[in-house]
Amino acid sequence: MPSTFDTVANIISETCDIPRETIKPESHAINDLGIDSLDFLDIAFAIDKAFGIKMPLEQWTQEVNDGKATTEQYFQLNNLCARIDELVAAKGA
Amino acid sequence: MRLEYFQLIDRIAELDLAQQTIRAEARVPTTSTIFEGHFPGYPLMPGVLLIEAMAQTSGWLVIAVTNFTRMPFFAALKEAKLRSFITPGQNLSLSAKLLHEGSGYAVTKADIRCDGKLACNAEITFRLVEFPNPEFRASMEKMAAILEFPRGAPAHG
């Protein structure tokens, strides 16, 4: 079974046509991979489908806009994968 | 339809906020300069205008769901299929369902039927922004009245 990171990296690679080998756990989706909000919406849809969750994108965006969170907390891939794992765990609880 | 004003739907027939669906109606005009070029001797409703018609139908659904607080702007189009020719004078039934709304975007699935038969369909993404100025919002309110937009009707219209 692929790891959360591998699944997310494959989705990003396919959705945004980014070479898979350039996508690292420490990559920042926006700053390093150049993914814009429109592409990220497609990625979020694919992640939701792959993991059977619903990422609270609107809440995350609002927290960043309000200065209550940094973009790294949600959009650096290792942190994003940790959030996904939390959502998956919450679903199964 | 008033093609010269880029008004691609005539009337909002049903609006269901609980199901997040909308249905609109439109009649393709029998004459238009567009048909002189598209195509000479064989007038067809351009596919790009059918897509715009689906986008306008979806847009009114988004405006209803966001209660006139956001203006949807066309941002992306996926899986657009133009399945049959639409000709001058035909009556169209346009439907849309909201798939997502949040984080500044909305996504709908829309289709157009002609005589009950699926003519085209697509998935459409919109960027949602605040109305850029009061005049713009007022013009949309005016258009809503023309289209018989069911204001204050929370459920099935």
Side-chain angles (χ1 to χ4, degrees), chain A residues 36-39 41-42 45 54 56-59 61, chain B residues 75-76 78 100-105 107 123 125 127:
Chain A
D36 66 16
S37 57
L38 188 56
D39 277 338
L41 191 66
D42 281 343
F45 277 175
K54 185 154 175 53
L57 262 191
E58 190 167 27
Q59 179 194 325
T61 307
Chain B
K78 279 187 196 165
H100 166 85
E101 193 276 308
S103 305
Y105 290 100
V107 182
E123 184 180 303
T125 301
R127 190 184 308 277

Side-chain angles (χ1 to χ4, degrees), chain A residues 12 16 18 27-37 39-40 43:
Chain A
I12 290 173
C16 300
I18 295 171
S27 299
H28 189 295
I30 302 165
N31 299 344
D32 297 326
L33 302 177
I35 297 169
D36 66 16
S37 57
D39 277 338
F40 199 82
I43 292 167

Side-chain angles (χ1 to χ4, degrees), chain B residues 116-128:
Chain B
K117 189 181 167 196
L118 185 64
C120 53
N121 59 290
E123 184 180 303
I124 306 172
T125 301
F126 299 86
R127 190 184 308 277
L128 306 191

Side-chain angles (χ1 to χ4, degrees), chain B residues 18-88:
Chain B
Q19 295 297 317
Q20 299 189 315
T21 58
I22 193 170
R23 191 179 72 79
E25 296 169 345
R27 180 178 170 80
V28 181
T30 52
T31 59
S32 167
T33 53
I34 287 173
F35 298 135
E36 292 173 19
H38 194 280
F39 294 94
Y42 194 61
L44 292 178
M45 184 67 177
V48 288
L49 294 183
L50 292 171
I51 287 166
E52 174 64 21
M54 289 191 283
Q56 290 188 10
T57 303
S58 298
W60 285 108
L61 174 61
V62 174
I63 285 174
V65 168
T66 57
N67 198 23
F68 268 82
T69 60
R70 294 286 185 279
M71 178 67 197
F73 289 96
F74 205 159
L77 177 70
K78 279 187 196 165
E79 297 291 330
K81 291 182 178 166
L82 305 169
R83 298 169 185 274
S84 58
F85 291 156
I86 301 293
T87 55

